[in-house]
Amino acid sequence: MPKGAPPVLDVRSLSTVFHTRAGNVHAVNDVNFTLGAGELLGVVGESGSGKSVTMMSLIGLLPSPPAVVGPGEVIFGDRDLLKIDEKALREVRGGEIGFVFQDPMTSLNPVFTVGMQIAEPLRRHMGLSKKAAADRAVELLELVGIPDARRRLGDYPHQFSGGMRQRVMIAIALACDPKVLIADEPTTALDVTIQAQILELMQELREKLGMAVIWITHDLGVIAGIADRVMVMYGGQVVEHAPVHELFANPRHPYTQALLKTVPNVHGERAKRLTTIEGQPPILLAPPSACSFRDRCPHAWELCHRALPARFPLPGDHDAACFLCDPGLAPTSPEIQDA
Amino acid sequence: MLDAAAPAPATPAADGAPPLLDVRGLKMHFPIHSGLLRRQVGAVKAVDGVDFTIRPGETLGLVGESGCGKSTCGRAILRLYDITEGSIRIDGVEIGHLSQHALRKHRPTMQMVFQDPQASLNPRMNVSQIIREPLDEHTKLSSAEKDEKVLELMDAVGLNRAFARRFPHAFSGGQRQRIGIARALALNPKFIVCDEPIAALDVSIQAQVVNLLEDLQEQFGLTYLFISHDLSMVRHIATRVAVMYLGRIVELAPREALYAEPLHPYTQALLSAVPEPDPALARKVERVILKGDVPSPANPPKGCNFCTRCPKVMDICHEIDPMPRHLPGGRQVACHLYEDTKTTTDPTAAHKPGHSSAQQGVSP
Ligand SMILES: Nc1ncnc2c1ncn2[C@@H]1O[C@H](COP(=O)(O)OP(=O)(O)O)[C@@H](O)[C@H]1O
Ligand SMILES: Nc1ncnc2c1ncn2[C@@H]1O[C@H](COP(=O)(O)OP(=O)(O)O)[C@@H](O)[C@H]1O
Ligand SMILES: [Mg+2]
Ligand SMILES: [Mg+2]
């Protein structure tokens, strides 16, 4: 992002709670991040860390009840998406903000042709005629690399392979020239060869269309290949954030450090034994009042059990929510030297 | 298709030990029926002539894209199907065409760990009952002996004994997979097919389960067929790796050789597509992006199964189905780019299988 340019999306102190019979689930806790124009922000973390709920909160996709989104602000252009009404939000969703989810079979409607499903947002958001919408649908399918596009408009989702369905989903998400594309594990269910096709397509489209992208994944390899900046989530919070090279070269949160060590690779050193993160992720029945990684952290000391670490700024547009990074605590921290 | 049916000679084990598992010309075709009379109109050739051996104590990784026949291969070896053709010898005994009744005696030797621990565990049985069931079926142990054995198995897989009366739904995915592993171990098997045992688990939990499988292998002298689409994890766990494409093994090699210098164009493409968790490296690798989709196993192409997508395709590939070539270092590759070193006299080919024989192969 060019220095000083305002971000396309600015998320401030966002929290989301689910009110369930078993109690309140604090799925997202005081999340802050920005997305620059044309930038690709990678979001990683193990399942249940709040990646999907955060992004669904932004664009009002969570049913309420049980979800209560807020407090917080989601500044998009000159509006706060948490304050505008459902009708205005629907205009933004699938219009200026497109999204793609992991399983295209659940997001595509099995009883409508693919052509109708691409044309629908074009007619609704851009007011195109039936003919114009069909022409644009062909263009979009060609853009995402579906051969014989015009003939395939009349096909139903089940007539496409998994990789092709995911391309259709991307075509729908791109239909109205979004400024922001939110992609939630869009390649997780696909084979690596198909994933490589989709990732390459995504890079091409970013260059061509200049949109900003939020890419959620648990695959650090995918992040390493495509992200500009990375945000690591744990227990519904952002625990570390940095430019991609900085994050992989110099991870500062013990969770990020452990996560990077647990993944084997195909080219580098082969570890004799895999590193594991023992223990379980936190159960989010109350808002966090101490570090949520403390029970699994090799560096935890007394303070971590009683206070919630802020995201301490580090050199190089980097921050980490860990007391090891608190400059004020350095002299008293027992672990700081070997961290 | 030419050549395909010719069974390859058995690869001699490097250390001379006879293989625990020896699979020759294995085919598993599923009939396709159609019309009012449900006549057979074709067959899904899920596994279409594969040969491999697994030595005692070794882990053979079986990789390839979804639908290429990995699970069918694993299930066929355990004779969960009546196979279409071929031979399966385990510990010297031919089981390929035994009746299900005759197989019962051999069942304890070979077990399976499944991908989805949720679906493979009976939700109405508690942990103790689940692990005990094979003991009830196949042993004459007393009740007290079985109780003791169950607790030992729980210790072995790192499940707290206090959880013996709990039901599967009360466990996390990683713990459920431990229950499935304990059950598979109950009858002291020699050979275990692990079918995507970590695919449904989170990254950090995957490492725990893989470490456990490695510990158990050492402790009990187990032999594994480790089926996975995760090439990085297979590099970690496998001794040798077989790469499958559309019902065939296209390449089989010792782990280090395969990852350092993949020979088959499909293996090359597959490995280049794996995202590398290193930003500097990830942006440098030359990816081979395969075009299009895998053909249907009901209607494989003429010639080489990979000819429709191969970046190095030659005329011959559309005509003749390549037999597996045997190369030095215990490698085997089914591709016209390579000459079988057992039949070639060129000394350079024997030393540098990758490049020199590739060049030979290209000139028509
Ligand atoms: N409808 C719901 N009701 C209650 N809890 C929910 C609901 N949806 C999600 N959660 C909880 O919110 C947390 C975050 O979930 P999610 O954002 O889906 O995680 P991720 O996408 O990182 O895997 C989890 O603990 C999950 O159980
Ligand atoms: N019981 C069956 N009946 C018919 N076709 C099957 C059956 N089981 C698997 N297949 C087909 O065989 C092929 C190989 O499947 P599978 O062995 O499950 O592949 P993989 O495990 O590599 O994903 C696929 O095309 C699949 O649809
Ligand atoms: Mg999610
Ligand atoms: Mg399978």
Side-chain angles (χ1 to χ4, degrees):
Chain A
M1 153 169 65
K3 284 257 174 301
V8 275
L9 193 65
D10 186 352
V11 175
R12 299 175 189 165
S13 303
L14 179 69
S15 293
T16 298
V17 183
F18 292 100
H19 295 280
T20 72
R21 261 184 299 166
N24 295 343
V25 179
H26 294 260
V28 177
N29 299 293
D30 192 20
V31 162
N32 291 276
F33 69 91
T34 60
L35 179 68
E39 178 182 51
L40 195 146
L41 175 69
V43 183
V44 284
E46 63 198 299
S47 65
S49 60
K51 305 181 297 294
S52 299
V53 172
T54 299
M55 298 313 153
M56 287 165 82
S57 302
L58 301 184
I59 46 178
L61 279 177
L62 293 172
S64 178
V68 174
V69 178
E73 290 168 61
V74 177
I75 309 299
F76 180 64
D78 52 5
R79 289 177 295 179
D80 179 351
L81 298 186
L82 298 190
K83 304 261 164 17
I84 63 178
D85 62 21
E86 177 54 32
K87 186 167 167 292
L89 199 55
R90 227 178 305 142
E91 286 299 310
V92 173
R93 214 163 47 211
E96 287 171 288
I97 301 183
F99 46 88
V100 185
F101 293 104
Q102 176 171 345
D103 181 4
M105 237 9 211
T106 58
S107 357
L108 287 172
N109 191 328
V111 302
F112 292 117
T113 64
V114 157
M116 283 175 72
Q117 295 186 63
I118 305 177
E120 196 267 349
L122 291 166
R123 305 193 63 191
R124 183 151 58 96
H125 293 286
M126 301 176 88
L128 295 191
S129 72
K130 212 167 169 172
K131 166 88 175 56
D135 287 344
R136 173 86 178 126
V138 171
E139 253 175 56
L140 285 161
L141 287 180
E142 278 168 357
L143 182 70
V144 297
I146 291 186
D148 207 3
R150 188 166 293 276
R151 193 184 54 79
R152 300 226 62 181
L153 285 183
D155 285 351
Y156 291 87
H158 73 264
Q159 291 170 287
F160 290 78
S161 69
M164 286 295 159
R165 278 200 290 269
Q166 202 53 282
R167 286 167 191 260
V168 171
M169 282 303 298
I170 293 173
I172 294 175
L174 296 178
C176 304
D177 295 328
K179 287 202 186 74
V180 174
L181 177 72
I182 299 176
D184 190 352
E185 310 234 14
T187 58
T188 297
L190 304 176
D191 278 306
V192 283
T193 55
I194 310 296
Q195 170 170 279
Q197 290 176 357
I198 301 274
L199 295 179
E200 193 186 60
L201 168 69
M202 185 55 57
Q203 298 293 47
E204 264 174 47
L205 292 175
R206 274 180 69 203
E207 268 167 39
K208 220 181 278 179
L209 311 175
M211 67 201 164
V213 178
I214 298 176
W215 193 281
I216 301 178
T217 176
H218 63 270
D219 188 332
L220 289 162
V222 170
I223 287 291
I226 63 171
D228 298 315
R229 280 188 303 141
V230 186
M231 165 166 122
V232 182
M233 291 193 73
Y234 186 83
Q237 293 162 282
V238 178
V239 294
E240 184 156 12
H241 150 265
V244 67
H245 290 276
E246 166 73 7
L247 189 94
F248 280 79
N250 193 18
R252 296 296 297 273
H253 197 287
Y255 175 65
T256 315
Q257 292 169 351
L259 202 60
L260 286 171
K261 277 197 216 123
T262 58
V263 285
N265 54 29
V266 293
H267 289 117
E269 273 299 289
R270 176 179 167 275
K272 270 201 101 59
R273 195 168 172 84
L274 296 174
T275 310
T276 59
I277 310 176
E278 298 303 326
Q280 300 291 324
I283 299 161
L284 307 164
L285 294 178
S289 57
C291 173
S292 46
F293 191 57
R294 63 186 183 277
D295 293 333
R296 304 172 82 184
C297 181
H299 306 287
W301 84 96
E302 172 269 332
L303 177 63
C304 312
H305 294 271
R306 85 183 141 76
L308 181 65
R311 285 169 62 180
F312 299 106
L314 297 160
D317 189 25
H318 189 167
D319 62 72
C322 174
F323 288 119
L324 293 177
C325 302
D326 181 351
L329 282 176
T332 56
S333 151
E335 299 275 358
I336 202 92
Q337 282 89 4
D338 32 320
Chain B
M1 292 204 188
L2 303 173
D3 291 345
T11 327
D15 53 6
L20 178 73
L21 186 79
D22 190 343
V23 176
R24 298 287 130 205
L26 177 67
K27 292 192 183 179
M28 184 65 225
H29 293 182
F30 297 105
I32 304 169
H33 299 281
S34 170
L36 269 183
L37 299 172
R38 312 296 303 155
R39 271 188 315 149
Q40 183 176 342
V41 294
V44 178
K45 297 172 181 162
V47 175
D48 199 25
V50 306
D51 306 303
F52 61 89
T53 59
I54 311 183
R55 296 193 279 271
E58 133 177 287
T59 299
L60 180 71
L62 183 59
V63 300
E65 291 168 279
S66 55
C68 71
K70 304 181 296 297
S71 296
T72 305
C73 184
R75 301 173 69 95
I77 292 167
L78 296 188
R79 285 297 320 280
L80 302 179
Y81 298 125
D82 285 332
I83 64 172
T84 308
E85 228 179 275
S87 142
I88 303 162
R89 295 175 76 84
I90 181 156
D91 219 5
V93 182
E94 172 64 55
I95 60 162
H97 299 279
L98 288 186
S99 69
Q100 290 300 329
H101 178 75
L103 273 169
R104 213 185 118 78
K105 188 158 63 93
H106 302 285
R107 288 263 170 244
T109 319
M110 37 187 203
Q111 293 291 322
M112 186 147 180
V113 172
F114 297 92
Q115 165 169 2
D116 184 358
Q118 175 82 48
S120 58
L121 302 177
N122 185 335
R124 281 180 298 276
M125 286 161 78
N126 67 33
V127 173
S128 170
Q129 290 166 326
I130 289 171
I131 302 176
R132 203 186 155 105
E133 194 182 35
L135 297 172
D136 293 335
E137 285 262 320
H138 286 275
T139 73
K140 296 191 172 59
L141 297 179
S142 71
S143 187
E145 284 169 331
K146 284 183 208 161
D147 285 343
E148 187 49 36
K149 177 88 183 167
V150 166
L151 293 177
E152 280 170 17
L153 286 163
M154 291 185 70
D155 293 345
V157 299
L159 282 171
N160 191 327
R161 288 182 171 212
F163 297 162
R165 308 274 163 235
R166 292 200 188 171
F167 289 85
H169 66 80
F171 291 90
S172 67
Q175 286 171 317
R176 279 197 289 260
Q177 197 51 285
R178 288 173 195 268
I179 302 173
I181 294 170
R183 180 185 154 97
L185 288 176
L187 299 170
N188 303 316
K190 289 187 174 158
F191 173 61
I192 301 184
V193 172
C194 305
D195 189 0
E196 306 261 11
I198 55 166
L201 307 176
D202 246 310
V203 187
S204 62
I205 312 297
Q206 288 184 350
Q208 294 177 11
V209 172
V210 165
N211 284 348
L212 172 66
L213 287 170
E214 288 182 325
D215 292 345
L216 294 171
Q217 178 165 47
E218 203 172 296
Q219 197 178 341
F220 299 109
L222 299 169
T223 303
Y224 293 141
L225 177 67
F226 188 89
I227 298 175
S228 178
H229 65 270
D230 181 340
L231 284 117
S232 358
M233 204 51 100
V234 166
R235 176 178 180 220
H236 179 77
I237 197 169
T239 331
R240 290 185 302 142
V241 181
V243 182
M244 252 184 119
Y245 184 81
L246 203 58
R248 296 286 182 77
I249 290 177
V250 296
E251 180 163 6
L252 196 159
R255 172 192 66 222
E256 290 307 334
L258 186 98
Y259 284 85
E261 192 194 14
L263 298 181
H264 197 286
Y266 177 65
T267 317
Q268 291 167 356
L270 196 61
L271 276 176
S272 85
V274 179
E276 197 64 21
D278 173 344
L281 210 61
R283 285 153 217 243
K284 235 174 28 210
V285 282
E286 284 285 320
R287 291 200 197 294
V288 186
I289 304 276
L290 292 179
K291 302 280 178 260
D293 289 323
V294 184
S296 156
N299 190 16
K302 181 168 182 254
C304 174
N305 271 359
F306 190 51
C307 72
T308 56
R309 300 170 83 200
C310 182
K312 299 184 177 167
V313 67
M314 305 175 289
D315 290 344
I316 187 176
C317 309
H318 294 288
E319 297 299 328
I320 299 175
D321 188 11
M323 270 215 326
R325 273 85 166 136
H326 293 266
L327 303 176
R331 305 193 66 160
Q332 140 186 350
V333 56
C335 174
H336 288 296
L337 288 170
Y338 302 91
E339 295 285 345
D340 200 322
T341 50
K342 285 199 179 133
T343 59
T344 186
T345 49
D346 182 347
T348 57
H351 293 295
K352 290 220 72 198
H355 306 297
S356 54
S357 57
Q359 277 149 17
Q360 281 173 9
V362 176
S363 52

